[in-house]
Amino acid sequence: MGKCGLRHRLGRQPAVIPKAQATRQMLSRNPTVQPEINSIKAEVDEIKRRRILEEAIGQFFDKGYEATSLESIAEGLGVTKQFIYSRFRSKAELLVAICHAGAAAADQTVAFSATLSGDPAQRLAQIIRYFVRLQIEHRREVALYFREAKSLPADEGLAIDSSKQRFHRMLRGLLNEGKASGKFDIADASLAASALGGMASWAFTWFQPEGRWVAESVATELAALALRTVGVPDPLSYLADEPI
Amino acid sequence: MGKCGLRHRLGRQPAVIPKAQATRQMLSRNPTVQPEINSIKAEVDEIKRRRILEEAIGQFFDKGYEATSLESIAEGLGVTKQFIYSRFRSKAELLVAICHAGAAAADQTVAFSATLSGDPAQRLAQIIRYFVRLQIEHRREVALYFREAKSLPADEGLAIDSSKQRFHRMLRGLLNEGKASGKFDIADASLAASALGGMASWAFTWFQPEGRWVAESVATELAALALRTVGVPDPLSYLADEPI
């Protein structure tokens, strides 16, 4: 396993959401077919697939997509190229899977938001916190998606755009709800949703696992700032009792 | 002139800061040598150089850097390849100039901030507004820098990183000043600076000139949201009398 492998980064980087669940959702080829993964063979296949993707993410991120070869990914993993070819047809297919994982944070957050109920400020705090955690945990996939989305096949690019639009609509809807109830003080929910989306997304550009921040604190602080941005006067009261 | 040429986009896109000044600062090879530009020859050269860059920005943005050739840029401008070669040695040199222009918004905003005095809230409002205008006006250069910075020569990449760090330090310093004076209510000035930087920068990803927002309103609204994020209770009082 190369220096960018799974084990190495798990050591440095706290798993901010349950790792098995997150990785299965983000990287599995078909996340709706959960029961089959229960067989040992399927689970082993999934682990192999995930390791290949982790190595590809590390090398694409460090050296760039163009400068990385399937040979160097195989070398980094200590496997043959055939090991990779039995799971991915090409380097481009690896990139597509990674860009999907980068965009998946938006879809996961929309799904998470649908499980919440109650006060809009409470929900906004949970949503921003959840999304920031994902953006930080998958910051290299997100960065790769930003860098390489232009090179994706058109339908893949459109699918990713749709994820971003669903995320924006969810956030805008929640802000409108909070505005209607008098909880949020905002002029325009769509612009405020874009502002909060930027504040939360941007973490992928500046968060450094070796830096002074841990992901969980960043997620909580950004949630507090987001509440204040929309006019909630006492943001910490919505965050103090949050389960981590 | 191709569909992405200067004239076409100037028609659609309101110039949010004085165009001549902005373009000279952003795209000139050596912005410190201003007096020479006063000669007619130098001015004509500068216009030609700028037109080439505008065409390159449009084509790189729409088709991607790899898929764009110097031939198609020459064709879009209705000139010979030699016309381009007399000003830029290669496609890569065009990209370097564009990425510099994308990163220049940060440096220009730092320079702008040094001209301001008075109340930290007032200054923060002006700085965010100024920066958002630039991010929107040069959103394609900013997007290209994000996509292609990895492919830049190492020293060019480092220069751009330094711009971003100077911008962050300027914002963090102002937030600390506002915190010390009791004007801003923030837990950590560095994290708040990253949050505001994200909120303001993100506009380059979502602003659409054909959409319902004009750049100036976005800049003002984001400045108001930024003031509230740092705990200023009456942001509009800092923005109402601002000269546009």
Side-chain angles (χ1 to χ4, degrees), chain A residues 61-62 146 150 185 188 190-191 194 198-199 202 206 212-213 228-229, chain B residues 61-62 146 150 185 188 190-191 194 198-199 202 212-213 228-229:
Chain A
F61 186 78
D62 293 341
F146 265 92
K150 201 79 199 169
D185 175 18
D188 184 280
S190 186
L191 194 132
S194 297
M199 184 193 275
W202 203 241
W206 59 264
R212 70 189 177 101
W213 287 99
R228 205 155 53 187
T229 304
Chain B
F61 186 78
D62 292 341
F146 265 92
K150 201 78 199 171
D185 176 18
D188 184 279
S190 186
L191 193 132
S194 296
M199 184 193 275
W202 203 239
R212 69 189 178 101
W213 287 99
R228 206 156 53 188
T229 304

PDB file of all heavy atoms in Angstrom, chain A residues 61-62 146 150 185 188 190-191 194 198-199 202 206 212-213 228-229, chain B residues 61-62 146 150 185 188 190-191 194 198-199 202 212-213 228-229:
ATOM      1  N   PHE A  61      -4.793  13.234  -6.906  1.00  0.00           N
ATOM      2  CA  PHE A  61      -4.769  14.479  -6.136  1.00  0.00           C
ATOM      3  C   PHE A  61      -3.357  15.043  -6.050  1.00  0.00           C
ATOM      4  O   PHE A  61      -3.141  16.231  -6.230  1.00  0.00           O
ATOM      5  CB  PHE A  61      -5.321  14.225  -4.722  1.00  0.00           C
ATOM      6  CG  PHE A  61      -5.474  15.475  -3.913  1.00  0.00           C
ATOM      7  CD1 PHE A  61      -6.550  16.328  -4.115  1.00  0.00           C
ATOM      8  CD2 PHE A  61      -4.546  15.813  -2.952  1.00  0.00           C
ATOM      9  CE1 PHE A  61      -6.693  17.494  -3.380  1.00  0.00           C
ATOM     10  CE2 PHE A  61      -4.674  16.982  -2.207  1.00  0.00           C
ATOM     11  CZ  PHE A  61      -5.758  17.817  -2.427  1.00  0.00           C
ATOM     12  N   ASP A  62      -2.382  14.172  -5.792  1.00  0.00           N
ATOM     13  CA  ASP A  62      -1.006  14.647  -5.604  1.00  0.00           C
ATOM     14  C   ASP A  62      -0.320  14.998  -6.925  1.00  0.00           C
ATOM     15  O   ASP A  62       0.413  15.974  -7.003  1.00  0.00           O
ATOM     16  CB  ASP A  62      -0.168  13.593  -4.870  1.00  0.00           C
ATOM     17  CG  ASP A  62      -0.629  13.401  -3.425  1.00  0.00           C
ATOM     18  OD1 ASP A  62      -1.322  14.295  -2.901  1.00  0.00           O
ATOM     19  OD2 ASP A  62      -0.309  12.357  -2.828  1.00  0.00           O
ATOM     20  N   PHE A 146     -13.947  19.072  -8.888  1.00  0.00           N
ATOM     21  CA  PHE A 146     -13.859  20.449  -9.369  1.00  0.00           C
ATOM     22  C   PHE A 146     -12.847  20.583 -10.500  1.00  0.00           C
ATOM     23  O   PHE A 146     -13.053  21.302 -11.457  1.00  0.00           O
ATOM     24  CB  PHE A 146     -13.515  21.409  -8.234  1.00  0.00           C
ATOM     25  CG  PHE A 146     -14.740  22.024  -7.647  1.00  0.00           C
ATOM     26  CD1 PHE A 146     -15.362  21.442  -6.560  1.00  0.00           C
ATOM     27  CD2 PHE A 146     -15.301  23.152  -8.213  1.00  0.00           C
ATOM     28  CE1 PHE A 146     -16.526  21.986  -6.047  1.00  0.00           C
ATOM     29  CE2 PHE A 146     -16.462  23.701  -7.701  1.00  0.00           C
ATOM     30  CZ  PHE A 146     -17.076  23.113  -6.607  1.00  0.00           C
ATOM     31  N   LYS A 150     -15.027  18.892 -16.070  1.00  0.00           N
ATOM     32  CA  LYS A 150     -15.113  19.274 -17.485  1.00  0.00           C
ATOM     33  C   LYS A 150     -14.756  18.109 -18.414  1.00  0.00           C
ATOM     34  O   LYS A 150     -15.215  18.047 -19.555  1.00  0.00           O
ATOM     35  CB  LYS A 150     -14.141  20.435 -17.735  1.00  0.00           C
ATOM     36  CG  LYS A 150     -14.445  21.253 -18.962  1.00  0.00           C
ATOM     37  CD  LYS A 150     -15.563  22.232 -18.713  1.00  0.00           C
ATOM     38  CE  LYS A 150     -16.188  22.716 -20.006  1.00  0.00           C
ATOM     39  NZ  LYS A 150     -17.429  23.453 -19.754  1.00  0.00           N
ATOM     40  N   ASP A 185     -33.889  35.671   9.507  1.00  0.00           N
ATOM     41  CA  ASP A 185     -34.043  37.030   9.015  1.00  0.00           C
ATOM     42  C   ASP A 185     -33.154  37.168   7.777  1.00  0.00           C
ATOM     43  O   ASP A 185     -31.972  37.483   7.886  1.00  0.00           O
ATOM     44  CB  ASP A 185     -33.628  38.000  10.132  1.00  0.00           C
ATOM     45  CG  ASP A 185     -33.653  39.438   9.659  1.00  0.00           C
ATOM     46  OD1 ASP A 185     -34.293  39.725   8.619  1.00  0.00           O
ATOM     47  OD2 ASP A 185     -33.026  40.286  10.328  1.00  0.00           O
ATOM     48  N   ASP A 188     -33.240  37.164   0.866  1.00  0.00           N
ATOM     49  CA  ASP A 188     -33.523  36.261  -0.247  1.00  0.00           C
ATOM     50  C   ASP A 188     -32.973  34.875   0.080  1.00  0.00           C
ATOM     51  O   ASP A 188     -31.762  34.710   0.265  1.00  0.00           O
ATOM     52  CB  ASP A 188     -32.867  36.803  -1.518  1.00  0.00           C
ATOM     53  CG  ASP A 188     -33.195  35.957  -2.740  1.00  0.00           C
ATOM     54  OD1 ASP A 188     -32.558  34.899  -2.923  1.00  0.00           O
ATOM     55  OD2 ASP A 188     -34.116  36.339  -3.485  1.00  0.00           O
ATOM     56  N   SER A 190     -32.675  32.176  -1.703  1.00  0.00           N
ATOM     57  CA  SER A 190     -31.818  31.535  -2.705  1.00  0.00           C
ATOM     58  C   SER A 190     -30.386  32.059  -2.583  1.00  0.00           C
ATOM     59  O   SER A 190     -29.423  31.279  -2.583  1.00  0.00           O
ATOM     60  CB  SER A 190     -32.372  31.799  -4.104  1.00  0.00           C
ATOM     61  OG  SER A 190     -31.632  31.076  -5.052  1.00  0.00           O
ATOM     62  N   LEU A 191     -30.251  33.370  -2.456  1.00  0.00           N
ATOM     63  CA  LEU A 191     -28.901  33.918  -2.310  1.00  0.00           C
ATOM     64  C   LEU A 191     -28.261  33.482  -0.989  1.00  0.00           C
ATOM     65  O   LEU A 191     -27.078  33.123  -0.947  1.00  0.00           O
ATOM     66  CB  LEU A 191     -28.917  35.437  -2.419  1.00  0.00           C
ATOM     67  CG  LEU A 191     -27.498  35.986  -2.624  1.00  0.00           C
ATOM     68  CD1 LEU A 191     -27.464  36.980  -3.761  1.00  0.00           C
ATOM     69  CD2 LEU A 191     -26.935  36.573  -1.366  1.00  0.00           C
ATOM     70  N   SER A 194     -26.964  30.021  -1.389  1.00  0.00           N
ATOM     71  CA  SER A 194     -25.684  30.006  -2.105  1.00  0.00           C
ATOM     72  C   SER A 194     -24.545  30.444  -1.197  1.00  0.00           C
ATOM     73  O   SER A 194     -23.440  29.891  -1.245  1.00  0.00           O
ATOM     74  CB  SER A 194     -25.747  30.925  -3.325  1.00  0.00           C
ATOM     75  OG  SER A 194     -26.707  30.460  -4.251  1.00  0.00           O
ATOM     76  N   GLY A 198     -21.495  28.030  -0.052  1.00  0.00           N
ATOM     77  CA  GLY A 198     -20.094  28.389  -0.273  1.00  0.00           C
ATOM     78  C   GLY A 198     -19.279  28.318   1.004  1.00  0.00           C
ATOM     79  O   GLY A 198     -18.184  27.763   1.040  1.00  0.00           O
ATOM     80  N   MET A 199     -19.844  28.878   2.070  1.00  0.00           N
ATOM     81  CA  MET A 199     -19.156  28.858   3.361  1.00  0.00           C
ATOM     82  C   MET A 199     -18.824  27.418   3.770  1.00  0.00           C
ATOM     83  O   MET A 199     -17.709  27.123   4.221  1.00  0.00           O
ATOM     84  CB  MET A 199     -20.082  29.497   4.399  1.00  0.00           C
ATOM     85  CG  MET A 199     -19.496  29.633   5.770  1.00  0.00           C
ATOM     86  SD  MET A 199     -20.797  30.031   6.986  1.00  0.00           S
ATOM     87  CE  MET A 199     -20.895  31.798   6.822  1.00  0.00           C
ATOM     88  N   TRP A 202     -16.428  25.384   0.976  1.00  0.00           N
ATOM     89  CA  TRP A 202     -15.070  25.888   0.858  1.00  0.00           C
ATOM     90  C   TRP A 202     -14.074  25.141   1.739  1.00  0.00           C
ATOM     91  O   TRP A 202     -12.868  25.119   1.457  1.00  0.00           O
ATOM     92  CB  TRP A 202     -15.080  27.379   1.208  1.00  0.00           C
ATOM     93  CG  TRP A 202     -13.970  28.187   0.655  1.00  0.00           C
ATOM     94  CD1 TRP A 202     -13.039  28.889   1.366  1.00  0.00           C
ATOM     95  CD2 TRP A 202     -13.663  28.421  -0.721  1.00  0.00           C
ATOM     96  NE1 TRP A 202     -12.187  29.539   0.513  1.00  0.00           N
ATOM     97  CE2 TRP A 202     -12.537  29.264  -0.766  1.00  0.00           C
ATOM     98  CE3 TRP A 202     -14.238  27.987  -1.925  1.00  0.00           C
ATOM     99  CZ2 TRP A 202     -11.968  29.685  -1.971  1.00  0.00           C
ATOM    100  CZ3 TRP A 202     -13.671  28.407  -3.118  1.00  0.00           C
ATOM    101  CH2 TRP A 202     -12.558  29.237  -3.132  1.00  0.00           C
ATOM    102  N   TRP A 206      -9.373  24.429   2.162  1.00  0.00           N
ATOM    103  CA  TRP A 206      -8.414  24.913   3.165  1.00  0.00           C
ATOM    104  C   TRP A 206      -8.181  23.969   4.332  1.00  0.00           C
ATOM    105  O   TRP A 206      -7.189  24.117   5.047  1.00  0.00           O
ATOM    106  CB  TRP A 206      -8.818  26.296   3.695  1.00  0.00           C
ATOM    107  CG  TRP A 206     -10.164  26.399   4.345  1.00  0.00           C
ATOM    108  CD1 TRP A 206     -11.326  26.803   3.741  1.00  0.00           C
ATOM    109  CD2 TRP A 206     -10.513  26.099   5.704  1.00  0.00           C
ATOM    110  NE1 TRP A 206     -12.369  26.771   4.634  1.00  0.00           N
ATOM    111  CE2 TRP A 206     -11.890  26.341   5.851  1.00  0.00           C
ATOM    112  CE3 TRP A 206      -9.800  25.659   6.818  1.00  0.00           C
ATOM    113  CZ2 TRP A 206     -12.582  26.160   7.049  1.00  0.00           C
ATOM    114  CZ3 TRP A 206     -10.477  25.470   8.011  1.00  0.00           C
ATOM    115  CH2 TRP A 206     -11.853  25.721   8.122  1.00  0.00           C
ATOM    116  N   ARG A 212      -4.296  22.792  12.799  1.00  0.00           N
ATOM    117  CA  ARG A 212      -4.697  22.869  14.204  1.00  0.00           C
ATOM    118  C   ARG A 212      -6.165  22.527  14.428  1.00  0.00           C
ATOM    119  O   ARG A 212      -6.596  22.350  15.563  1.00  0.00           O
ATOM    120  CB  ARG A 212      -4.378  24.256  14.777  1.00  0.00           C
ATOM    121  CG  ARG A 212      -5.238  25.380  14.237  1.00  0.00           C
ATOM    122  CD  ARG A 212      -4.706  26.737  14.698  1.00  0.00           C
ATOM    123  NE  ARG A 212      -5.463  27.828  14.135  1.00  0.00           N
ATOM    124  CZ  ARG A 212      -6.411  28.502  14.791  1.00  0.00           C
ATOM    125  NH1 ARG A 212      -6.726  28.195  16.027  1.00  0.00           N
ATOM    126  NH2 ARG A 212      -7.054  29.483  14.206  1.00  0.00           N
ATOM    127  N   TRP A 213      -6.947  22.425  13.357  1.00  0.00           N
ATOM    128  CA  TRP A 213      -8.357  22.132  13.493  1.00  0.00           C
ATOM    129  C   TRP A 213      -8.646  20.638  13.348  1.00  0.00           C
ATOM    130  O   TRP A 213      -8.018  19.969  12.535  1.00  0.00           O
ATOM    131  CB  TRP A 213      -9.146  22.855  12.405  1.00  0.00           C
ATOM    132  CG  TRP A 213      -9.248  24.322  12.634  1.00  0.00           C
ATOM    133  CD1 TRP A 213      -8.483  25.288  12.042  1.00  0.00           C
ATOM    134  CD2 TRP A 213     -10.158  24.984  13.525  1.00  0.00           C
ATOM    135  NE1 TRP A 213      -8.867  26.521  12.512  1.00  0.00           N
ATOM    136  CE2 TRP A 213      -9.880  26.369  13.409  1.00  0.00           C
ATOM    137  CE3 TRP A 213     -11.162  24.542  14.379  1.00  0.00           C
ATOM    138  CZ2 TRP A 213     -10.592  27.313  14.142  1.00  0.00           C
ATOM    139  CZ3 TRP A 213     -11.860  25.490  15.096  1.00  0.00           C
ATOM    140  CH2 TRP A 213     -11.581  26.859  14.979  1.00  0.00           C
ATOM    141  N   ARG A 228     -25.874  32.213  12.480  1.00  0.00           N
ATOM    142  CA  ARG A 228     -25.847  33.659  12.685  1.00  0.00           C
ATOM    143  C   ARG A 228     -26.019  34.419  11.371  1.00  0.00           C
ATOM    144  O   ARG A 228     -26.640  35.482  11.340  1.00  0.00           O
ATOM    145  CB  ARG A 228     -24.604  34.101  13.415  1.00  0.00           C
ATOM    146  CG  ARG A 228     -24.920  35.408  14.121  1.00  0.00           C
ATOM    147  CD  ARG A 228     -24.079  35.675  15.290  1.00  0.00           C
ATOM    148  NE  ARG A 228     -22.690  35.575  14.887  1.00  0.00           N
ATOM    149  CZ  ARG A 228     -21.693  35.632  15.747  1.00  0.00           C
ATOM    150  NH1 ARG A 228     -21.945  35.758  17.026  1.00  0.00           N
ATOM    151  NH2 ARG A 228     -20.467  35.540  15.337  1.00  0.00           N
ATOM    152  N   THR A 229     -25.484  33.857  10.298  1.00  0.00           N
ATOM    153  CA  THR A 229     -25.642  34.493   8.983  1.00  0.00           C
ATOM    154  C   THR A 229     -27.123  34.689   8.644  1.00  0.00           C
ATOM    155  O   THR A 229     -27.495  35.694   8.043  1.00  0.00           O
ATOM    156  CB  THR A 229     -24.974  33.625   7.889  1.00  0.00           C
ATOM    157  OG1 THR A 229     -23.615  33.413   8.248  1.00  0.00           O
ATOM    158  CG2 THR A 229     -25.048  34.287   6.535  1.00  0.00           C
TER     159      THR A 229
ATOM    160  N   PHE B  61     -12.615  27.779 -21.113  1.00  0.00           N
ATOM    161  CA  PHE B  61     -13.725  27.611 -20.180  1.00  0.00           C
ATOM    162  C   PHE B  61     -14.806  26.712 -20.780  1.00  0.00           C
ATOM    163  O   PHE B  61     -15.327  25.825 -20.122  1.00  0.00           O
ATOM    164  CB  PHE B  61     -14.315  28.977 -19.822  1.00  0.00           C
ATOM    165  CG  PHE B  61     -15.368  28.911 -18.755  1.00  0.00           C
ATOM    166  CD1 PHE B  61     -15.012  28.773 -17.419  1.00  0.00           C
ATOM    167  CD2 PHE B  61     -16.714  28.983 -19.075  1.00  0.00           C
ATOM    168  CE1 PHE B  61     -15.983  28.702 -16.430  1.00  0.00           C
ATOM    169  CE2 PHE B  61     -17.694  28.918 -18.088  1.00  0.00           C
ATOM    170  CZ  PHE B  61     -17.325  28.773 -16.767  1.00  0.00           C
ATOM    171  N   ASP B  62     -15.121  26.938 -22.052  1.00  0.00           N
ATOM    172  CA  ASP B  62     -16.223  26.191 -22.666  1.00  0.00           C
ATOM    173  C   ASP B  62     -15.823  24.764 -23.055  1.00  0.00           C
ATOM    174  O   ASP B  62     -16.597  23.831 -22.899  1.00  0.00           O
ATOM    175  CB  ASP B  62     -16.727  26.914 -23.932  1.00  0.00           C
ATOM    176  CG  ASP B  62     -17.414  28.246 -23.599  1.00  0.00           C
ATOM    177  OD1 ASP B  62     -17.814  28.423 -22.435  1.00  0.00           O
ATOM    178  OD2 ASP B  62     -17.545  29.088 -24.505  1.00  0.00           O
ATOM    179  N   PHE B 146      -8.812  27.222 -10.749  1.00  0.00           N
ATOM    180  CA  PHE B 146      -9.124  26.067  -9.905  1.00  0.00           C
ATOM    181  C   PHE B 146      -8.945  24.753 -10.650  1.00  0.00           C
ATOM    182  O   PHE B 146      -8.455  23.772 -10.100  1.00  0.00           O
ATOM    183  CB  PHE B 146     -10.559  26.161  -9.363  1.00  0.00           C
ATOM    184  CG  PHE B 146     -10.583  26.768  -7.996  1.00  0.00           C
ATOM    185  CD1 PHE B 146     -10.741  28.131  -7.838  1.00  0.00           C
ATOM    186  CD2 PHE B 146     -10.404  25.987  -6.873  1.00  0.00           C
ATOM    187  CE1 PHE B 146     -10.722  28.704  -6.584  1.00  0.00           C
ATOM    188  CE2 PHE B 146     -10.385  26.540  -5.618  1.00  0.00           C
ATOM    189  CZ  PHE B 146     -10.544  27.904  -5.468  1.00  0.00           C
ATOM    190  N   LYS B 150      -3.041  22.793 -10.860  1.00  0.00           N
ATOM    191  CA  LYS B 150      -2.171  21.622 -10.691  1.00  0.00           C
ATOM    192  C   LYS B 150      -1.184  21.477 -11.854  1.00  0.00           C
ATOM    193  O   LYS B 150      -0.105  20.911 -11.691  1.00  0.00           O
ATOM    194  CB  LYS B 150      -3.057  20.373 -10.593  1.00  0.00           C
ATOM    195  CG  LYS B 150      -2.406  19.189  -9.935  1.00  0.00           C
ATOM    196  CD  LYS B 150      -2.393  19.339  -8.436  1.00  0.00           C
ATOM    197  CE  LYS B 150      -1.359  18.433  -7.804  1.00  0.00           C
ATOM    198  NZ  LYS B 150      -1.187  18.708  -6.375  1.00  0.00           N
ATOM    199  N   ASP B 185     -18.342  39.698  16.924  1.00  0.00           N
ATOM    200  CA  ASP B 185     -18.520  38.655  17.928  1.00  0.00           C
ATOM    201  C   ASP B 185     -18.198  37.310  17.264  1.00  0.00           C
ATOM    202  O   ASP B 185     -19.055  36.676  16.644  1.00  0.00           O
ATOM    203  CB  ASP B 185     -19.975  38.695  18.422  1.00  0.00           C
ATOM    204  CG  ASP B 185     -20.275  37.565  19.396  1.00  0.00           C
ATOM    205  OD1 ASP B 185     -19.324  36.968  19.942  1.00  0.00           O
ATOM    206  OD2 ASP B 185     -21.475  37.286  19.604  1.00  0.00           O
ATOM    207  N   ASP B 188     -13.258  32.520  16.579  1.00  0.00           N
ATOM    208  CA  ASP B 188     -11.906  32.370  16.028  1.00  0.00           C
ATOM    209  C   ASP B 188     -11.810  33.133  14.722  1.00  0.00           C
ATOM    210  O   ASP B 188     -12.528  32.836  13.755  1.00  0.00           O
ATOM    211  CB  ASP B 188     -11.616  30.884  15.804  1.00  0.00           C
ATOM    212  CG  ASP B 188     -10.182  30.652  15.335  1.00  0.00           C
ATOM    213  OD1 ASP B 188      -9.915  30.830  14.116  1.00  0.00           O
ATOM    214  OD2 ASP B 188      -9.333  30.322  16.177  1.00  0.00           O
ATOM    215  N   SER B 190      -9.503  33.269  12.438  1.00  0.00           N
ATOM    216  CA  SER B 190      -8.983  32.547  11.279  1.00  0.00           C
ATOM    217  C   SER B 190     -10.079  31.709  10.637  1.00  0.00           C
ATOM    218  O   SER B 190     -10.254  31.709   9.416  1.00  0.00           O
ATOM    219  CB  SER B 190      -7.797  31.676  11.699  1.00  0.00           C
ATOM    220  OG  SER B 190      -7.208  31.091  10.570  1.00  0.00           O
ATOM    221  N   LEU B 191     -10.842  30.995  11.461  1.00  0.00           N
ATOM    222  CA  LEU B 191     -11.925  30.184  10.895  1.00  0.00           C
ATOM    223  C   LEU B 191     -13.003  31.072  10.278  1.00  0.00           C
ATOM    224  O   LEU B 191     -13.525  30.779   9.204  1.00  0.00           O
ATOM    225  CB  LEU B 191     -12.519  29.257  11.952  1.00  0.00           C
ATOM    226  CG  LEU B 191     -13.410  28.201  11.316  1.00  0.00           C
ATOM    227  CD1 LEU B 191     -13.076  26.819  11.839  1.00  0.00           C
ATOM    228  CD2 LEU B 191     -14.873  28.506  11.497  1.00  0.00           C
ATOM    229  N   SER B 194     -11.895  32.151   6.916  1.00  0.00           N
ATOM    230  CA  SER B 194     -12.080  31.092   5.925  1.00  0.00           C
ATOM    231  C   SER B 194     -13.544  30.974   5.522  1.00  0.00           C
ATOM    232  O   SER B 194     -13.865  30.758   4.349  1.00  0.00           O
ATOM    233  CB  SER B 194     -11.600  29.746   6.480  1.00  0.00           C
ATOM    234  OG  SER B 194     -10.213  29.787   6.736  1.00  0.00           O
ATOM    235  N   GLY B 198     -14.945  31.747   1.798  1.00  0.00           N
ATOM    236  CA  GLY B 198     -15.724  30.761   1.039  1.00  0.00           C
ATOM    237  C   GLY B 198     -17.033  31.334   0.549  1.00  0.00           C
ATOM    238  O   GLY B 198     -17.409  31.182  -0.614  1.00  0.00           O
ATOM    239  N   MET B 199     -17.724  32.021   1.447  1.00  0.00           N
ATOM    240  CA  MET B 199     -19.009  32.624   1.090  1.00  0.00           C
ATOM    241  C   MET B 199     -18.841  33.565  -0.105  1.00  0.00           C
ATOM    242  O   MET B 199     -19.635  33.552  -1.047  1.00  0.00           O
ATOM    243  CB  MET B 199     -19.518  33.418   2.297  1.00  0.00           C
ATOM    244  CG  MET B 199     -20.869  34.013   2.125  1.00  0.00           C
ATOM    245  SD  MET B 199     -21.204  35.223   3.451  1.00  0.00           S
ATOM    246  CE  MET B 199     -21.819  34.180   4.738  1.00  0.00           C
ATOM    247  N   TRP B 202     -17.252  31.700  -3.517  1.00  0.00           N
ATOM    248  CA  TRP B 202     -18.129  30.704  -4.146  1.00  0.00           C
ATOM    249  C   TRP B 202     -18.963  31.282  -5.290  1.00  0.00           C
ATOM    250  O   TRP B 202     -19.394  30.554  -6.181  1.00  0.00           O
ATOM    251  CB  TRP B 202     -19.045  30.123  -3.061  1.00  0.00           C
ATOM    252  CG  TRP B 202     -19.611  28.782  -3.339  1.00  0.00           C
ATOM    253  CD1 TRP B 202     -20.948  28.449  -3.403  1.00  0.00           C
ATOM    254  CD2 TRP B 202     -18.900  27.549  -3.554  1.00  0.00           C
ATOM    255  NE1 TRP B 202     -21.092  27.098  -3.629  1.00  0.00           N
ATOM    256  CE2 TRP B 202     -19.860  26.538  -3.732  1.00  0.00           C
ATOM    257  CE3 TRP B 202     -17.545  27.217  -3.608  1.00  0.00           C
ATOM    258  CZ2 TRP B 202     -19.507  25.204  -3.977  1.00  0.00           C
ATOM    259  CZ3 TRP B 202     -17.189  25.896  -3.853  1.00  0.00           C
ATOM    260  CH2 TRP B 202     -18.171  24.923  -4.029  1.00  0.00           C
ATOM    261  N   ARG B 212     -31.109  35.950 -12.680  1.00  0.00           N
ATOM    262  CA  ARG B 212     -31.920  37.073 -12.191  1.00  0.00           C
ATOM    263  C   ARG B 212     -31.120  38.081 -11.371  1.00  0.00           C
ATOM    264  O   ARG B 212     -31.595  39.161 -11.067  1.00  0.00           O
ATOM    265  CB  ARG B 212     -33.107  36.563 -11.392  1.00  0.00           C
ATOM    266  CG  ARG B 212     -32.762  35.923 -10.058  1.00  0.00           C
ATOM    267  CD  ARG B 212     -33.990  35.245  -9.458  1.00  0.00           C
ATOM    268  NE  ARG B 212     -33.662  34.586  -8.217  1.00  0.00           N
ATOM    269  CZ  ARG B 212     -33.931  35.105  -7.013  1.00  0.00           C
ATOM    270  NH1 ARG B 212     -34.490  36.275  -6.889  1.00  0.00           N
ATOM    271  NH2 ARG B 212     -33.614  34.429  -5.923  1.00  0.00           N
ATOM    272  N   TRP B 213     -29.886  37.725 -11.001  1.00  0.00           N
ATOM    273  CA  TRP B 213     -29.083  38.617 -10.188  1.00  0.00           C
ATOM    274  C   TRP B 213     -28.152  39.471 -11.033  1.00  0.00           C
ATOM    275  O   TRP B 213     -27.623  38.993 -12.031  1.00  0.00           O
ATOM    276  CB  TRP B 213     -28.205  37.814  -9.229  1.00  0.00           C
ATOM    277  CG  TRP B 213     -28.965  37.202  -8.119  1.00  0.00           C
ATOM    278  CD1 TRP B 213     -29.389  35.912  -8.038  1.00  0.00           C
ATOM    279  CD2 TRP B 213     -29.411  37.845  -6.919  1.00  0.00           C
ATOM    280  NE1 TRP B 213     -30.070  35.703  -6.872  1.00  0.00           N
ATOM    281  CE2 TRP B 213     -30.095  36.892  -6.166  1.00  0.00           C
ATOM    282  CE3 TRP B 213     -29.288  39.144  -6.432  1.00  0.00           C
ATOM    283  CZ2 TRP B 213     -30.660  37.180  -4.934  1.00  0.00           C
ATOM    284  CZ3 TRP B 213     -29.856  39.437  -5.209  1.00  0.00           C
ATOM    285  CH2 TRP B 213     -30.531  38.470  -4.467  1.00  0.00           C
ATOM    286  N   ARG B 228     -23.301  40.116   9.137  1.00  0.00           N
ATOM    287  CA  ARG B 228     -24.090  39.440  10.152  1.00  0.00           C
ATOM    288  C   ARG B 228     -23.399  38.181  10.658  1.00  0.00           C
ATOM    289  O   ARG B 228     -23.516  37.826  11.824  1.00  0.00           O
ATOM    290  CB  ARG B 228     -25.487  39.149   9.659  1.00  0.00           C
ATOM    291  CG  ARG B 228     -26.383  39.063  10.893  1.00  0.00           C
ATOM    292  CD  ARG B 228     -27.795  39.332  10.609  1.00  0.00           C
ATOM    293  NE  ARG B 228     -28.218  38.467   9.538  1.00  0.00           N
ATOM    294  CZ  ARG B 228     -29.404  38.574   8.957  1.00  0.00           C
ATOM    295  NH1 ARG B 228     -30.259  39.482   9.364  1.00  0.00           N
ATOM    296  NH2 ARG B 228     -29.746  37.779   7.996  1.00  0.00           N
ATOM    297  N   THR B 229     -22.683  37.508   9.774  1.00  0.00           N
ATOM    298  CA  THR B 229     -21.951  36.303  10.190  1.00  0.00           C
ATOM    299  C   THR B 229     -20.991  36.602  11.336  1.00  0.00           C
ATOM    300  O   THR B 229     -20.806  35.786  12.230  1.00  0.00           O
ATOM    301  CB  THR B 229     -21.160  35.727   8.990  1.00  0.00           C
ATOM    302  OG1 THR B 229     -22.080  35.477   7.927  1.00  0.00           O
ATOM    303  CG2 THR B 229     -20.452  34.440   9.358  1.00  0.00           C
TER     304      THR B 229
END
